[in-house]
Amino acid sequence: MREQRSYSSEAIILKHLDMGEADRILTLFTPYKGKFHAVAKGVRRIVSKKAGHLELLNHTQLQVAVGRNLDIITQAESIESFPHVRTDLWHMTCGFYLAELTDRFIEEDTQHQDIYKLLLAALRTLDEDVVTLKPQLVENTIAADQEHNRSQLLLRYYEIYLLSSVGYEPVLRTCAHCNVDLQPVENGFTPSLGGALCPNCSSLWAQPLSVNALKVMRLLQRSDWGKVPPFRLDKRTHAEMENAMRGLIRFHLERDLQSWNFLEQLR
């Protein structure tokens, strides 16, 4: 049987690493092959025709040759480049964060079509948000708050969905320690146990988690993104959800993500 020498695939560019004088190793996320690395030869040269199609976050159609150690990208054509995201630093950083998060949690050569589709949908949402809100931001600070509100909800949604998909679903309906049903009172959250704690257990080792924060996180956990209401949440609620999810991510990865610092600076 003749061995396959090349193949085609669509991909989202998650990461790149310069190699040699002109080459670049790309981390690619595809719907059927999963995550893998491939070399784009000569892509850093000014005359390269592939360079513009292999930018970070691009959704690109690729032709790939099978290599001895790493496969080699021979052709690339952008399907979506999300140009509006690239004009807004906040939304672009959100996109980079989603890519970094995906890269850290998704194992190589493991198919995750659900995460692939969600990442693509999230990048489209960020791109559309810039188009919708940008004209209002010049003279409307309320629109600026709305911009951050919706995008922060999107980040929390993606975090919850991604963790659930790879086997780390946050425990949000029963106490992660004693397993009793959580009541509509201030509960707690601890990353080492994987989720929320009832008041009795959270008095020992947990950060506070308000009723509103827990309700929103539960809704995000059980809803399609398109059906999530346009909540107008206060900064405290956003901070509680973010701290809870960051703690959970840090616990599983045993490290911080680089994008967190950039998001903090922009906010």
Side-chain angles (χ1 to χ4, degrees):
M1 187 173 179
R2 190 173 180 179
E3 187 177 354
Q4 185 181 20
R5 302 295 297 274
S6 67
Y7 58 93
S8 62
S9 177
E10 63 178 87
I12 300 171
I13 316 297
L14 297 182
K15 184 179 177 181
H16 59 56
L17 177 67
D18 292 345
M19 183 180 72
E21 295 184 358
D23 302 341
R24 184 168 277 164
I25 298 175
L26 301 178
T27 302
L28 308 170
F29 189 35
T30 68
Y32 303 109
K33 188 176 171 61
K35 187 183 81 171
F36 70 100
H37 303 286
V39 177
K41 291 185 175 294
V43 74
R44 289 158 54 208
R45 294 195 178 101
I46 297 176
V47 295
S48 173
K49 295 182 179 179
K50 297 193 293 285
H53 302 286
L54 296 175
E55 296 289 341
L56 290 176
L57 304 182
N58 266 25
H59 176 210
T60 301
Q61 184 66 39
L62 304 173
Q63 189 66 31
V64 185
V66 176
R68 181 177 299 177
N69 298 314
L70 289 173
D71 291 352
I72 301 167
I73 297 171
T74 57
Q75 297 178 39
E77 184 174 355
S78 295
I79 301 172
E80 299 168 272
S81 60
F82 311 107
H84 304 294
V85 166
R86 301 174 194 282
T87 67
D88 184 90
L89 193 54
W90 169 259
H91 284 84
M92 184 170 64
T93 305
C94 287
F96 289 158
Y97 170 57
L98 296 180
E100 183 183 8
L101 191 65
T102 304
D103 181 37
R104 293 298 182 189
F105 275 101
I106 298 298
E107 296 182 1
E108 292 189 28
D109 301 316
T110 303
Q111 189 178 110
H112 282 281
Q113 289 190 45
D114 56 339
I115 298 299
Y116 180 85
K117 291 177 182 177
L118 180 60
L119 179 57
L120 202 52
L123 292 174
R124 288 169 179 160
T125 298
L126 291 172
D127 202 57
E128 291 166 2
D129 282 354
V130 177
V131 177
T132 303
L133 296 170
K134 200 74 172 180
Q136 307 172 46
L137 297 182
V138 177
E139 30 184 71
N140 191 344
T141 56
I142 294 178
D145 290 340
Q146 181 183 349
E147 171 195 37
H148 282 196
N149 186 77
R150 193 65 178 168
S151 54
Q152 286 183 82
L153 273 178
L154 176 62
L155 299 188
R156 302 293 84 78
Y157 181 89
Y158 192 88
E159 290 163 351
I160 291 172
Y161 192 99
L162 175 63
L163 288 178
S164 300
S165 182
V166 298
Y168 300 131
E169 183 173 17
V171 180
L172 299 175
R173 298 183 180 276
T174 59
C175 177
H177 184 243
C178 70
N179 205 37
V180 301
D181 290 338
L182 296 176
Q183 301 302 312
V185 297
E186 181 173 275
N187 291 285
F189 191 96
T190 184
S192 61
L193 294 179
L197 300 180
C198 69
N200 289 335
C201 295
S202 61
S203 62
L204 301 176
W205 61 79
Q207 62 193 60
L209 191 66
S210 67
V211 174
N212 283 344
L214 182 58
K215 281 183 178 179
V216 175
M217 291 175 72
R218 284 176 170 179
L219 187 143
L220 294 177
Q221 189 179 47
R222 293 290 180 259
S223 302
D224 293 330
W225 172 250
K227 296 180 180 179
V228 174
F231 291 116
R232 296 292 301 276
L233 304 178
D234 57 38
K235 292 182 179 179
R236 178 193 168 189
T237 304
H238 274 302
E240 286 184 74
M241 295 191 299
E242 182 178 66
N243 290 338
M245 292 310 301
R246 282 192 181 184
L248 204 53
I249 290 165
R250 185 183 292 112
F251 175 76
H252 290 302
L253 292 179
E254 298 183 348
R255 64 186 300 173
D256 285 0
L257 297 182
Q258 293 180 350
S259 304
W260 286 347
N261 287 333
F262 294 112
L263 289 169
E264 288 295 337
Q265 291 171 20
L266 290 175
R267 191 159 45 213

